[in-house]
């Protein structure tokens, strides 16, 4: 973690100052030229007065006018550790995250064994402390074995460090179980992050149901499978008052459900994945399994609606949906191939497409990946403010580059953005004041 | 008399035949002309030429098939190729080898043409990306079955003298049918008016966007049709129930003498086989003089000979 000739011991104490920067804080809306001082892992000071002034003894990083923003908080990351380390480990995922500007990964509970036990949460956190270079916070299983039947030990798991509760990529199909979960978690102020899919309706669908699936001869899954489950959940939240976040919505109809719920005063939040904001079902042709994800990519009209929903503030969170799959799982006929796409390293660059084409303002875009998830999860990070953790990224918004999957740090290479043209990339990443990534610096390769 | 070789002016600019989508009218007509020659060749006492002499054709069938596999085998043999049928059930596929590894293994045996049927849509295309030889799609899931559409077009052309301007009603389980998908794109490329007729549960999603008329009853569906193409109910691809019973299905959508009256008096009756007599077609209708179901089988061999020889024109000579 030492990219600049400073020894590790010293680096911990030494102050770092980022000068000549464009400071953008999604919480306060601050967007101005200035500098930012990091001391003891936290933001000690920031503002225009530090634009060219560095305190004595501090390590000076000249940002050359580039953007300085809070590090990203990715609310949906799947990692193969424990159980499937050939796909990804905490170490490899965290290096990909650092290079992508993600300073906090929220990990999904669909590990092997399933993250439904206090000892496993403890293992995960210790393992992350020892091997990962960004923050790792586990999301624990909502039900035993993710089977959707028996509640896991919500209170104990939360006390052990579980940041939220999820049933992985499966929905709680039994409304009675979901109702009890929403009621019980309320007592612990625990957040439920739910995958919304009526699997009876999805049937054997492997992509979005519509003209493209008809032409490809692939079984389709209707978008209604998602919004029906979301609608049910809204009714249950009305009934129970539990804290509820829809993990990934992907279609216009679901957005309408969220809008109606908000208008009725039901406090639900929702996220979407970067894939659903930047790709559509046509990308699947001809049978490209790297574009096989859940929920499936939707028509362009739905993608456009997602972008509008984000700009409007109806969508609170953008996730990468990072889900590493090895080649053998993907190099199959489409119907038989596995779901999932990696995304930690391309999350920000892909999101910047929405900024560059003028669809979503920069502050709004960053908010959905920093402050909003922080607020939902009760984290101090996700903001540029005095005293906040120094999880910070320096971003060049403009330089074009081309994604080459061979260069990605993730152990699996199943990116839907291979050979994609991007504009803007992360130059430096700091986690708790430590520099964990610098673009072009061999120490961080 | 090796007439199939005489049409040396016909150039087929594709390495594989994976789909009927993207074929031009001229390419289709060229293949059909070749097939006419092949049909004549099959009527000779000596049915064999050496068009494909020295070439190796492997039939790789991951799904059970009687007629298509034997049709391809016969077509290859009549053109002088060495034909091998891969018995997939007894092969390493069942030992956990992936499709791509199977493709690589076969490729190393240096075949010239692979004929592939697979139960998953897109599987044949995936395989084609991994091998050096020409690949013919003999059916992939619910996606495509291009030689079936070609033989249907040939049968129609021989009986009606043209395809353009005819009204073709494709009836039955369109949703699960690769035959329907192949025919929709091929016959509309040739200028036919396509109609699909099925209960809504057996229509593909967004059917109206496929460039066809959609009808939910046989009276409207068959009205004035020149060709009535029946499809088999594909129980093996159905997850769950799509129609309440075969009895009800036959009552509303099975082709019997009554419903056939809606079509033109000289309408052709077609079926890609194998037929479920009494489910989608009445037995006596299947054997009606207007039925060309057996001619379809005959044209199957001819069309496959045409496709094999068209693709062989691009095979490297050494």
């Amino acid at each position: 973690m030492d990219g600049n000739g400073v020894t590790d011991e010293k680096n911990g104490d030494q102050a770092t100052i980022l000068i000549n920067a464009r400071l953008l804080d999604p919480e306060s809306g601050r967007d101005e030229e200035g500098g930012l001082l990091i001391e003891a892992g936290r933001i000690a000071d920031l503002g225009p007065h530090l634009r060219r002034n560095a305190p004595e003894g501090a390590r000076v990083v000249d940002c050359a006018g580039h953007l300085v923003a809070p590090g990203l908080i990715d609310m949906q990351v799947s990692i193969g550790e424990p159980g499937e380390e050939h796909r990804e480990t905490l170490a490899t995922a965290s290096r990909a995250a650092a290079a992508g500007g993600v300073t906090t990964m929220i990990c999904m509970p669909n590990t092997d064994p399933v993250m439904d036990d206090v000892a496993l949460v403890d293992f995960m956190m210790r393992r992350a402390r020892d091997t990962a270079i960004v923050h790792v916070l586990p999301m624990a299983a909502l039900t035993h074995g993710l089977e959707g039947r028996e509640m896991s030990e919500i209170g104990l798991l939360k006390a052990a460090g579980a940041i939220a509760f999820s049933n992985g990529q499966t929905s709680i199909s039994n409304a009675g179980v979901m109702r009890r979960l929403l009621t019980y978690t309320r007592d612990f102020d625990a957040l439920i992050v739910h995958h919304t899919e009526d699997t009876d309706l999805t049937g054997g669908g492997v992509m979005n149901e519509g003209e493209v699936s008809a032409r490809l001869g692939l079984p389709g899954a209707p978008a209604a499978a998602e919004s029906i489950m979301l609608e049910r959940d809204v009714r249950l939240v009305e009934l129970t008052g539990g804290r509820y976040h829809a993990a990934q919505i992907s279609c216009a109809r679901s957005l309408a459900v969220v809008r109606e719920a908000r208008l009725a005063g039901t406090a639900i939040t929702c996220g979407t994945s970067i894939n659903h904001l930047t790709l559509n079902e046509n990308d699947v042709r001809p049978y490209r399994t790297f574009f096989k994800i859940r929920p499936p990519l939707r028509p362009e009209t739905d993608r456009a609606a997602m972008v509008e929903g984000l700009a409007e503030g109806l969508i609170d969170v953008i996730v990468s949906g990072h889900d590493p799959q090895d080649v053998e799982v993907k190099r199959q006929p489409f119907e038989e191939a596995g779901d999932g796409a990696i995304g930690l390293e391309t999350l920000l660059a892909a999101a910047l497409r929405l900024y560059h084409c003028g669809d979503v303002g920069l502050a709004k875009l960053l908010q959905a990946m920093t402050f909003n998830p922080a607020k939902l999860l009760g984290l101090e990070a996700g903001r540029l403010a005095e005293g906040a953790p120094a999880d910070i990224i320096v971003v060049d918004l403009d330089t074009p580059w081309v994604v080459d999957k061979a260069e990605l740090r993730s152990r699996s290479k199943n990116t839907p953005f291979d050979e994609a043209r991007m504009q803007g990339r992360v130059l430096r990443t700091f986690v708790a004041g430590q520099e964990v990534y610098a673009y072009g610096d061999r120490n961080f390769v | 008399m090796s007439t199939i070789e005489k049409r040396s002016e016909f150039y087929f600019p594709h390495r594989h035949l994976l789909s009927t989508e993207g074929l031009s009218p001229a390419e289709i007509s060229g293949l059909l002309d070749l097939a006419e020659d092949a049909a004549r060749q099959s009527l000779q006492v000596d049915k064999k030429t050496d068009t494909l002499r020295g070439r190796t054709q492997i039939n790789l069938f991951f799904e059970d098939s009687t007629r298509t596999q034997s049709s391809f085998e016969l077509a290859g043999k009549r053109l002088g190729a060495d034909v091998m049928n891969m018995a997939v059930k007894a092969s390493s596929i069942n030992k956990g080898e992936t499709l791509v590894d199977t493709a690589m293994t076969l490729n190393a045996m240096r075949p010239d043409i692979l004929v592939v049927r697979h139960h998953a849509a897109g599987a044949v295309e995936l395989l084609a990306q991994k091998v050096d030889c020409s690949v013919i799609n003999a059916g992939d899931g619910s996606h495509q079955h291009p030689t079936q559409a070609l033989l249907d077009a040939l049968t129609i052309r021989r009986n009606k003298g043209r395809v353009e301007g005819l009204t073709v009603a494709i009836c039955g389980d369109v949703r699960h049918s690769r035959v329907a998908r192949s025919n929709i794109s091929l016959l509309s490329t040739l200028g036919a008016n396509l109609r699909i007729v099925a209960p809504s549960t057996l229509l593909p999603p967004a059917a109206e966007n496929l460039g066809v008329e959609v009808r939910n009853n046989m009276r409207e569906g068959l009205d004035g049709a020149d060709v009535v193409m029946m499809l088999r109910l594909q129980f093996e691809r159905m997850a769950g129930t799509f129609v309440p019973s075969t009895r009800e299905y036959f009552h509303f959508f099975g082709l019997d003498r009554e419903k056939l009256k809606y079509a033109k008096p000289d309408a052709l009756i077609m079926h890609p086989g194998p037929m479920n007599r009494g489910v989608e077609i009445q037995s006596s209708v299947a054997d009606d003089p207007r039925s060309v179901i057996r001619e379809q089988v005959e044209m199957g061999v001819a069309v496959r000979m045409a496709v094999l020889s068209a693709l062989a024109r691009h095979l490297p000579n050494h």
Side-chain angles (χ1 to χ4, degrees):
Chain A
M1 238 146 297
D2 168 14
N4 34 61
V6 188
T7 63
D8 270 332
E9 306 86 72
K10 265 190 168 177
N11 205 358
D13 309 335
Q14 192 193 17
T16 304
I17 182 156
L18 309 178
I19 61 161
N20 198 14
R22 174 183 170 192
L23 302 173
L24 197 148
D25 175 30
E27 182 189 17
S28 63
R30 172 206 290 267
D31 186 355
E32 62 185 6
E33 295 190 345
L36 182 147
L37 179 67
I38 301 170
E39 273 176 5
R42 292 193 173 259
I43 299 172
D45 193 10
L46 76 166
H49 61 286
L50 292 175
R51 189 175 165 217
R52 298 215 175 276
N53 298 323
E56 195 111 339
R59 176 194 162 213
V60 178
V61 175
D62 185 344
C63 296
H66 289 308
L67 185 78
V68 166
L72 309 185
I73 299 167
D74 189 344
M75 267 184 73
Q76 188 174 334
V77 179
S78 292
I79 297 181
E81 190 171 354
E84 292 185 28
E85 286 80 358
H86 64 285
R87 294 200 287 136
E88 189 93 285
T89 62
L90 288 161
T92 55
S94 74
R95 274 159 187 81
V102 174
T103 52
T104 303
M105 300 191 286
I106 313 297
C107 293
M108 298 287 278
N110 49 340
T111 45
D112 182 15
V114 168
M115 196 67 51
D116 61 0
D117 192 273
V118 170
L120 280 162
V121 171
D122 190 54
F123 164 82
M124 178 84 147
M125 294 181 61
R126 278 185 291 117
R127 187 82 184 135
R129 181 196 63 202
D130 295 344
T131 64
I133 59 171
V134 303
H135 302 298
V136 176
L137 297 169
M139 201 143 49
L142 202 46
T143 56
H144 277 300
L146 300 175
E147 284 166 359
R149 289 195 290 269
E150 288 168 51
M151 243 187 267
S152 54
E153 297 168 319
I154 306 284
L156 292 175
L157 287 164
K158 191 173 183 206
I163 191 77
F165 294 84
S166 147
N167 217 48
Q169 294 263 60
T170 54
S171 297
I172 309 281
S173 57
N174 185 321
V177 172
M178 189 62 173
R179 177 198 180 170
R180 271 194 301 280
L181 283 164
L182 281 161
T183 309
Y184 188 77
T185 50
R186 196 184 56 195
D187 295 346
F188 295 92
D189 196 29
L191 178 71
I192 290 180
V193 179
H194 198 220
H195 171 81
T196 49
E197 177 184 345
D198 182 327
T199 44
D200 291 328
L201 194 49
T202 301
V206 296
M207 70 170 295
N208 181 64
E209 181 178 286
E211 186 183 333
V212 179
S213 75
R215 286 184 186 278
L216 289 175
L218 290 172
E226 173 185 305
S227 26
I228 283 175
M229 187 56 83
L230 181 63
E231 195 125 27
R232 181 206 74 175
D233 287 351
V234 170
R235 300 288 97 81
L236 292 175
V237 172
E238 284 172 1
L239 189 65
T240 60
R243 286 187 63 210
Y244 177 90
H245 175 80
Q248 282 191 32
I249 65 166
S250 64
C251 61
R253 187 71 199 102
S254 295
L255 203 61
V257 174
V258 173
R259 184 181 284 115
E260 286 159 25
R262 296 255 176 105
L263 284 174
T266 309
I268 67 156
T269 54
C270 69
T272 190
S273 87
I274 188 64
N275 302 314
H276 294 99
L277 288 167
T278 55
L279 305 168
N280 68 29
E281 63 174 355
N282 293 315
D283 290 308
V284 169
R285 304 185 83 161
Y287 304 103
R288 296 202 290 175
T289 57
F290 280 17
F291 293 81
K292 188 183 181 196
I293 55 175
R294 276 176 71 197
L297 292 173
R298 304 294 186 190
E300 174 60 16
T301 47
D302 280 322
R303 186 202 68 86
M306 289 295 105
V307 175
E308 274 178 41
L310 179 69
E312 201 183 321
L314 277 173
I315 293 177
D316 304 271
V317 175
I318 303 173
V319 299
S320 72
H322 187 80
D323 191 359
Q325 298 291 345
D326 65 57
V327 177
E328 290 320 313
V329 172
K330 284 291 186 183
R331 215 170 52 170
Q332 298 277 354
F334 195 88
E335 277 173 70
E336 290 157 19
D339 297 314
I342 58 168
L344 279 167
E345 221 168 323
T346 46
L347 171 61
L348 182 64
L352 286 175
R353 284 181 169 181
L354 305 177
Y355 158 68
H356 286 299
C357 71
D359 286 343
V360 186
L362 191 56
K364 194 101 201 172
L365 196 61
L366 288 173
Q367 214 172 39
M369 295 181 282
T370 56
F371 179 64
N372 288 355
K375 201 169 61 173
L376 270 175
L377 300 167
L379 302 175
E380 285 182 281
R383 64 205 88 192
L384 291 189
E386 229 179 283
D391 296 347
I392 286 163
I393 51 175
V394 182
V395 182
D396 171 353
L397 288 175
D398 296 315
T399 303
W401 60 291
V402 178
V403 179
D404 176 356
K405 69 177 175 195
E407 287 178 6
L408 296 178
R409 286 153 182 80
S410 190
R411 184 164 282 180
S412 296
K413 307 296 180 194
N414 54 313
T415 173
F417 294 106
D418 191 30
E419 295 178 23
R421 271 67 180 159
M422 299 293 193
Q423 191 180 351
R425 74 186 310 156
V426 176
L427 297 177
R428 292 175 190 277
T429 304
F430 296 86
V431 173
Q434 303 271 341
E435 187 163 35
V436 294
Y437 172 76
Y439 173 60
D441 188 328
R442 285 190 191 165
N443 290 307
F444 295 109
V445 170
Chain B
M1 183 176 128
S2 60
T3 49
I4 198 164
E5 287 184 312
K6 285 185 182 161
R7 292 187 193 265
S8 53
E9 75 281 5
F10 174 61
Y11 178 72
F12 188 68
H14 305 281
R15 190 171 131 212
H16 308 299
L17 181 66
L18 301 177
S19 169
T20 53
E21 265 183 54
L23 293 179
S24 72
E27 287 160 21
I28 297 167
S29 304
L31 285 175
L32 298 186
D33 294 344
L34 267 185
E36 296 267 16
D37 296 343
R40 274 192 293 279
Q41 179 181 325
S42 294
L43 293 175
Q44 308 301 312
V45 176
D46 181 0
K47 300 175 175 59
K48 201 154 172 168
T49 64
D50 54 5
T51 316
L52 293 183
R53 203 176 66 164
R55 303 294 190 185
T56 307
Q57 171 191 339
I58 299 181
N59 296 338
L60 179 60
F61 279 61
F62 294 87
E63 242 186 8
D64 288 340
S65 159
T66 316
R67 64 186 63 216
T68 306
Q69 184 171 332
S70 47
S71 179
F72 267 110
E73 183 177 351
L74 210 50
K77 284 182 171 163
R78 284 192 182 155
L79 294 174
D82 295 315
V83 184
M84 188 182 98
N85 290 317
M86 274 277 289
V88 173
K89 288 239 162 86
S91 83
S92 49
I93 307 290
N94 287 357
K95 297 174 189 162
E97 190 179 60
T98 66
L99 176 65
V100 170
D101 283 334
T102 306
M104 303 291 216
T105 306
L106 284 178
N107 195 44
M109 297 179 192
R110 303 270 163 233
D112 299 288
I113 295 176
L114 271 180
V115 179
V116 186
R117 168 170 287 190
H118 196 280
H119 49 84
V124 181
E125 195 165 325
L126 174 67
L127 198 134
Q129 291 164 8
K130 305 291 176 188
V131 297
D132 302 314
C133 61
S134 285
V135 175
I136 299 172
N137 182 358
D140 61 330
S142 302
H143 180 221
Q144 279 274 334
H145 188 1
T147 55
Q148 177 70 43
L150 284 165
L151 75 88
D152 288 339
L154 181 61
T155 307
I156 294 171
R157 196 175 81 169
R158 282 166 66 101
N159 285 279
K160 294 286 180 188
R162 66 193 163 101
V163 174
E164 193 177 354
L166 297 181
T167 297
V168 181
I170 303 179
C171 313
D173 187 0
V174 181
R175 184 186 185 96
H176 299 101
S177 175
R178 52 196 174 208
V179 175
R181 279 175 182 73
S182 306
N183 265 313
I184 286 170
S185 61
L186 186 125
L187 295 179
S188 26
T189 302
L190 292 179
N193 305 314
L194 271 291
R195 228 182 250 167
I196 57 181
V197 191
S200 293
T201 46
L202 290 177
L203 287 172
E208 59 286 355
N209 293 349
L210 299 179
V212 295
E213 289 175 45
V214 181
R215 296 286 180 272
N216 296 124
N217 67 70
M218 291 290 266
R219 175 190 282 271
E220 288 177 23
L222 297 198
D223 182 37
D226 297 288
V227 177
V228 180
M229 195 181 283
M230 300 307 296
L231 299 173
R232 187 172 60 87
L233 269 182
Q234 302 207 22
F235 295 110
E236 73 277 15
R237 286 186 218 290
M238 291 185 191
T241 314
F242 286 78
V243 289
S245 70
T246 50
R247 186 172 73 164
E248 173 153 327
Y249 181 76
F250 183 77
H251 182 78
F252 290 105
F253 291 94
L255 187 65
D256 53 20
R257 302 230 162 260
E258 278 307 304
K259 298 187 193 95
L260 191 55
K261 283 183 191 154
Y262 306 133
K264 281 192 185 156
D266 61 344
L268 295 182
I269 302 164
M270 302 177 79
H271 193 297
M275 281 183 282
N276 298 318
R277 285 176 189 258
V279 177
E280 69 259 350
I281 190 162
Q282 193 177 32
S283 211
S284 66
V285 172
D287 302 325
D288 190 274
R290 287 168 291 176
S291 161
V292 290
I293 296 171
R294 271 180 294 277
E295 186 176 347
Q296 285 176 274
V297 179
E298 184 187 347
M299 290 309 115
V301 179
V303 150
R304 282 156 192 142
M305 287 169 74
V307 170
L308 287 168
S309 76
L311 292 179
R313 289 160 200 232
H314 313 296
L315 293 175
N317 287 317
H318 39 86

